[in-house]
């Protein structure tokens, strides 16, 4: 017989081994999908590796995608860990980009360090507000935050389109003759560009460093502070948190706001680090918000692990854009992300349960079993 | 508003509401068994791309092609639902994350887009489409004619399904067992009902119906395939199940209301109302939030609707 039994403690080595095993399994399943659709899996994996890691140019490109994923990954990790299901990272990132580019355009003449701080604040504020809406609805009206935060992704996307393509908004470039035919956003001044950190010919984006620093802070917040402790209790058992007199409603709102702030900062980084203009199509094409779910799950909702995983998934997305063509269709990236997520879920199961093949442990006597604990030897 | 505009709105409400009815009914069945499947959007997209591909490459009489295309779409949705069923029922992972995984896997930048590329159907114009059927020759009647008697086969099918599901849930023994599984799997198990089998079956049927809902987009609403063409309809279908308090009759009302909202922009702009197109496009999403907030407080106050075991895996040894 095959029995599935609960494992109550997860050894530390398993927490590191499981994501790696999941990735290997995912690579294998994805290879089957590739082979089934007439592609050579080994060649495809080689291409992905070459496009994302082998040269400093490739590595720089990988970090272009890793940086937003670091923020959306943290956004999801912090929320899901607390059982607050914020799926709105996508829209919160758009709003962050709108906020940061608005600030960057308005304060273009300010000294650079101050301007960068203001842009970050603009992104954080916009992302927070966008996340507070589903957070408040969940906490005080019990509206399912999965659906409300997700609906707001579509609204934010449409709002961004409206600003650039369908209005004469502050964000839109209305001066150059080409911009009147092909609508585009206003370019930010050069001093609104965030300075990258050059390491040889490789450039580490400013946003990635900031995000990694935030990841450390978040880990400290969860591990060492009272608020973090309450959050962990709520994540493990909302009912227990309630009985212990913790203010769970406020906590839901706070977690949602923090989560939205992180995604909003990711949007600000998109403007400051990379595009320097509000570009709706560029922001939407990679689905950073949804991909953040994959990043966070693979990182087992641990902020520090998100830093590393964001680079891995960033490499995959970068390869998707770099290799786009008949041998590497666009849908492949999402398909692989989905397979990775399935494998992670399967791996979590292996960590939580033991599969015992053969005789089950005789912990409780079977009905009518006289040799069990009922028989007292005298 | 004169009656012509009202009829036009009603007709388009039904057109845009039909995929919501189908996918919503599927999700309703799955949730009644206690399985929350957030993969509806992904299943609909796979259904849409599969139906379109099948209808493009198959030869034969139009009705036969369409039947095969529709069944293929349902099968694609069901196959995806099976993944979710395995993950959430057999190995008991978090149903929210598993459903999201399904939508990422099959969604806008996932398998549905990949399949569209591999099958090379982007930019093609549909050969076979569902045509309006003049039922009993009554389509000429004023007002009710175009609304009730001049629809395509899918709309009639969705009406039949609503009645069937309502009858199944409230008037049959297995429907009663299904509700028991969703409310209290432990009691159901003690009664000798196979909880796992009920959950698998209804999750997979749910996927089949979501696939059909997706097929309606490419076979009836617009004869083309583009990535992500359902634009969140799957998510609205999930929200509809909550608005409808898990009841098929209310689900239809909600679906047509949202269908009307989705088409309101075209109707109003055709009648000279000038507002940004993005505003009308955002309306269904904004309305979902408003109605969800309203429905949730009602639910909380009256304590009705939600299957008690929704989203909770059932483990006989641990319950």
């Amino acid at each position: 017989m095959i029995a599935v039994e609960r494992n109550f403690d997860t050894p530390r080595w398993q927490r590191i081994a499981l994501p790696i095993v999941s990735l290997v399994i995912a690579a294998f399943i994805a290879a089957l999908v590739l082979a089934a659709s007439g592609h050579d899996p080994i060649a495809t994996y080689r291409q992905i590796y070459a496009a994302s890691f082998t040269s400093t140019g490739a590595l720089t490109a990988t970090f272009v995608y890793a940086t937003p994923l670091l923020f959306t990954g943290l956004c999801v990790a912090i929320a899901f860990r607390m059982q607050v299901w914020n799926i709105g990272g996508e829209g919160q990132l758009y709003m962050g980009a709108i906020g940061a580019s608005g600030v960057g355009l308005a304060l273009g003449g300010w000294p650079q360090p101050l301007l960068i701080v203001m842009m970050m604040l603009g992104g954080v504020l916009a992302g927070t507000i966008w996340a507070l809406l589903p957070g408040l609805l969940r906490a005080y009206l019990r509206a399912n935050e999965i659906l409300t935060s997700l609906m707001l992704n579509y609204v934010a996307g449409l709002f961004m389109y409206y600003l650039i393509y369908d209005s004469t908004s502050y964000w839109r470039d209305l001066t150059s003759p080409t911009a009147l035919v092909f609508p585009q956003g206003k370019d930010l001044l050069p001093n609104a560009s965030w300075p990258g950190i050059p390491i040889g010919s490789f450039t580490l984006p400013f946003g990635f460093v900031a995000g990694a620093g935030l990841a450390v802070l978040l880990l400290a917040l969860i591990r060492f502070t009272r608020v973090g402790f309450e959050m962990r209790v709520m994540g493990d058992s909302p009912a227990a948190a309630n009985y212990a007199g913790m203010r769970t409603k406020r906590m839901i709102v706070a977690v949602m706001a923090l989560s939205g702030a992180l995604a909003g900062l990711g949007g600000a980084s998109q403007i400051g680090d990379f595009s320097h203009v509000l570009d709706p199509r560029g922001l939407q094409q990679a689905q950073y918000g949804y991909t953040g779910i994959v990043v966070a799950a693979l990182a087992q909702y641990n902020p520090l692990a998100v830093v590393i995983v964001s680079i891995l998934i960033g490499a995959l997305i970068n390869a998707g854009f770099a290799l786009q063509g008949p041998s590497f269709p666009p849908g492949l990236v999402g398909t692989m992300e989905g397979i990775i997520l399935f494998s992670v879920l399967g791996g979590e199961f292996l960590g939580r349960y033991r599969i015992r093949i053969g005789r089950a442990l005789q912990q409780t006597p079977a009905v009518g079993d006289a040799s069990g604990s009922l028989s007292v030897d005298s | 508003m004169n009656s012509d505009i009202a009829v036009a709105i009603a007709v388009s409400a039904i057109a845009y509401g039909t995929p919501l009815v189908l996918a919503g009914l599927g999700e309703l069945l799955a949730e009644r068994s206690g399985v929350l499947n957030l993969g509806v959007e992904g299943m609909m997209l796979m259904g849409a791309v599969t139906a379109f591909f099948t209808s493009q490459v198959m030869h034969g009489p139009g009705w036969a092609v369409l039947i095969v295309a529709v069944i293929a779409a349902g099968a694609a949705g069901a196959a995806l639902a099976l993944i979710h069923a395995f993950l959430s029922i057999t190995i008991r992972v978090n149903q929210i994350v598993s459903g999201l995984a399904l939508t990422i896997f099959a969604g806008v930048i996932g398998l549905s887009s990949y399949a569209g590329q591999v099958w090379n159907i982007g930019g093609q114009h549909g050969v076979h489409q569902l045509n309006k059927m003049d039922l009993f020759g009554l389509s000429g009647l004023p007002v009710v004619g175009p609304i009730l008697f001049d629809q395509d086969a899918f709309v009639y099918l969705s009406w039949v399904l609503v009645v069937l599901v309502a009858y199944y849930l409230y008037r049959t023994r297995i429907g009663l067992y299904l509700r028991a599984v969703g409310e209290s799997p432990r009691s159901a198990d003690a009664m000798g009902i196979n909880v796992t089998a009920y959950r698998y079956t209804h999750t997979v049927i749910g996927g089949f119906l979501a696939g059909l809902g997706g097929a309606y987009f490419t076979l009836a609403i617009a004869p083309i395939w583009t990535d992500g063409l359902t634009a969140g309809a799957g998510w609205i279908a999930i929200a509809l199940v909550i608005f409808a308090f898990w009841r098929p009759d209310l689900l239809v009302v909600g679906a047509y209301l949202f269908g009307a909202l989705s088409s309101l922009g075209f109707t109003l702009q055709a009648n000279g109302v000038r507002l940004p197109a993005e505003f009308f496009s955002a309306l269904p999403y904004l309305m979902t939030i408003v109605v969800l907030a309203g429905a949730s407080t009602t639910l909380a106050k009256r304590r009705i609707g939600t299957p008690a075991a929704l989203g909770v895996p059932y483990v006989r040894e641990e319950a």
Side-chain angles (χ1 to χ4, degrees):
Chain A
M1 88 166 257
I2 300 171
V4 177
E5 293 168 355
R6 184 93 196 195
N7 238 352
F8 284 98
D9 46 352
T10 319
R12 184 170 278 271
W13 66 267
Q14 262 192 13
R15 272 186 232 157
I16 299 164
L18 281 175
I20 297 171
V21 173
S22 311
L23 270 183
V24 173
I25 294 171
F28 182 73
I29 300 173
L32 293 179
V33 174
L34 283 168
S37 56
H39 294 106
D40 177 0
I42 307 287
T44 308
Y45 288 153
R46 280 223 181 95
Q47 279 180 320
I48 294 177
Y49 182 72
S52 299
F53 290 116
T54 44
S55 69
T56 50
L59 203 59
T60 302
T62 290
F63 272 80
V64 169
Y65 299 102
T67 305
L69 291 180
L70 172 53
F71 287 105
T72 54
L74 289 174
C75 153
V76 173
I78 208 80
F80 279 28
R81 177 70 186 79
M82 312 305 163
Q83 296 205 34
V84 175
W85 307 103
N86 178 16
I87 321 291
E90 189 80 21
Q92 290 144 21
L93 181 124
Y94 299 163
M95 295 311 281
I98 294 172
S101 56
V103 170
L105 287 170
L107 310 178
W110 285 34
Q112 195 181 27
L114 211 56
L115 181 56
I116 292 174
V117 172
M118 292 310 286
M119 283 173 75
M120 283 181 155
L121 283 179
V124 164
L125 196 66
T128 306
I129 292 171
W130 210 242
L132 269 179
L133 200 61
L136 291 168
L137 288 175
R138 160 67 204 279
Y140 296 100
L141 297 181
R142 301 198 197 191
N144 182 321
E145 77 276 23
I146 301 174
L147 295 166
T148 50
S149 65
L150 190 118
M151 291 295 134
L152 286 175
N153 290 346
Y154 290 100
V155 177
L158 287 164
F159 181 54
M160 200 162 59
Y161 258 79
Y162 171 73
L163 289 181
I164 300 299
Y165 296 100
D166 212 12
S167 68
T168 53
S169 76
Y170 184 65
W171 284 261
R172 183 172 170 181
D173 182 1
L174 296 163
T175 50
S176 73
T178 52
L180 292 175
V181 189
F182 304 106
Q184 62 185 52
K186 254 188 245 169
D187 284 316
L188 272 71
L189 292 173
N191 73 329
S193 295
W194 300 3
I197 294 143
I199 305 168
S201 58
F202 163 70
T203 313
L204 189 61
F206 182 80
F208 194 87
V209 180
L214 274 175
V216 176
L217 285 180
L218 285 174
L219 193 74
L221 173 82
I222 296 171
R223 289 263 164 93
F224 304 120
T225 68
R226 184 200 156 98
V227 177
F229 171 73
E230 293 189 346
M231 282 174 161
R232 272 184 290 152
V233 174
M234 199 179 80
D236 291 334
S237 167
N242 221 353
Y243 288 131
M246 295 173 185
R247 299 177 179 187
T248 46
K249 284 184 181 177
R250 266 195 213 177
M251 208 112 74
I252 289 170
V253 176
V255 168
M256 204 70 182
L258 179 59
S259 174
L262 288 163
L265 198 52
S269 147
Q270 281 293 293
I271 302 295
D273 279 318
F274 306 112
S275 66
H276 315 301
V277 59
L278 185 64
D279 168 23
R281 296 218 167 101
L283 284 170
Q284 283 181 317
Q285 64 178 354
Q287 305 231 307
Y288 296 121
Y290 300 110
T291 310
I293 299 169
V294 183
V295 172
L298 189 55
Q300 315 230 302
Y301 311 108
N302 176 323
L304 276 190
V306 166
V307 180
I308 298 158
V309 172
S310 68
I311 301 172
L312 285 179
I313 305 290
L316 177 64
I317 294 185
N318 169 52
F321 287 114
L323 304 172
Q324 204 169 93
S327 72
F328 204 98
L332 205 48
V333 171
T335 307
M336 286 184 169
E337 286 171 6
I339 293 172
I340 291 173
L341 206 37
F342 289 143
S343 309
V344 170
L345 289 170
E348 263 175 34
F349 164 76
L350 287 180
R352 272 188 297 118
Y353 291 91
R354 275 184 302 237
I355 298 173
R356 184 181 300 279
I357 298 170
R359 253 161 54 95
L361 276 182
Q362 290 277 319
Q363 284 170 334
T364 46
V367 177
D369 184 357
S371 68
S373 58
L374 284 177
S375 68
V376 181
D377 293 320
S378 55
Chain B
M1 196 164 14
N2 62 42
S3 72
D4 281 354
I5 297 179
V7 169
I9 288 178
V11 167
S12 53
I14 291 173
Y16 284 89
T18 297
L20 296 176
V21 172
L22 290 164
L25 275 181
E27 180 67 13
L28 187 144
L29 285 172
E31 290 194 14
R32 280 287 191 167
S33 80
V35 177
L36 173 70
N37 188 352
L38 296 181
V40 180
E41 180 80 358
M43 298 189 295
M44 287 181 89
L45 281 169
M46 270 319 279
V49 73
T50 310
F52 192 65
F53 171 69
T54 315
S55 72
Q56 291 299 88
V57 295
M58 246 188 80
H59 299 287
W63 60 269
V65 171
L66 285 170
I67 288 175
V68 175
V70 165
I71 292 172
L80 286 175
L82 195 59
I83 302 177
H84 179 69
F86 174 73
L87 286 171
S88 59
I89 302 166
T90 303
I91 70 174
R92 309 157 198 170
V93 305
N94 184 309
Q95 294 186 8
I96 295 175
V97 184
S98 168
L100 291 171
L102 199 59
T103 284
I104 291 173
F105 173 67
V108 192
I109 59 162
L111 194 63
S112 62
S113 159
Y114 184 55
Q117 291 278 330
V118 171
W119 291 334
N120 197 21
I121 51 174
Q124 287 186 16
H125 193 270
V127 183
H128 301 286
Q129 291 288 298
L130 293 160
N131 292 318
K132 303 267 182 197
M133 293 158 61
D134 186 351
L135 212 60
F136 314 124
L138 292 175
S139 67
L141 287 179
V143 186
V144 290
I147 296 173
L148 292 181
F149 302 109
D150 191 27
Q151 300 289 353
D152 55 55
F154 242 59
V155 175
Y156 298 130
L157 173 76
S158 71
W159 292 346
V160 172
L161 277 172
V162 170
V163 175
L164 275 181
V165 170
Y167 181 80
Y168 172 68
L169 277 177
Y170 299 111
R171 291 281 181 276
T172 67
R173 186 174 294 266
I174 41 174
L176 176 68
Y177 288 169
L178 170 68
R179 287 185 285 145
V181 168
E183 294 294 344
S184 174
R186 185 142 189 79
S187 324
D189 192 20
M191 278 171 68
I193 299 169
N194 187 338
V195 174
T196 306
Y198 268 77
R199 289 194 165 173
Y200 260 92
T201 314
H202 290 92
T203 307
V204 170
I205 293 174
F208 192 91
L209 291 178
L212 293 193
Y216 196 74
F217 276 91
T218 46
L219 296 182
I221 291 180
I224 46 155
W225 163 253
T226 48
D227 287 354
L229 86 176
T230 51
W235 294 103
I236 293 179
I238 297 171
L240 276 174
V241 178
I242 302 177
F243 310 155
F245 307 127
W246 290 264
R247 282 171 49 180
D249 49 346
L250 293 177
L251 183 85
V252 186
V253 178
Y256 288 157
L257 217 65
F258 272 83
L261 268 182
S262 303
S263 61
L264 192 65
F266 305 114
T267 318
L268 286 182
Q269 278 176 326
N271 286 280
V273 178
R274 294 192 60 81
L275 270 173
E278 286 83 1
F279 174 75
F280 290 114
S281 307
L283 258 185
Y285 309 121
L286 290 170
M287 269 314 276
T288 304
I289 296 170
V290 173
V291 183
L292 200 56
S296 305
T297 40
T298 316
L299 270 176
K301 272 188 204 135
R302 313 248 312 263
R303 297 180 179 281
I304 44 166
T306 322
L310 182 60
V312 185
Y314 176 64
V315 189
R316 187 184 272 173
E317 296 87 351
E318 288 175 13

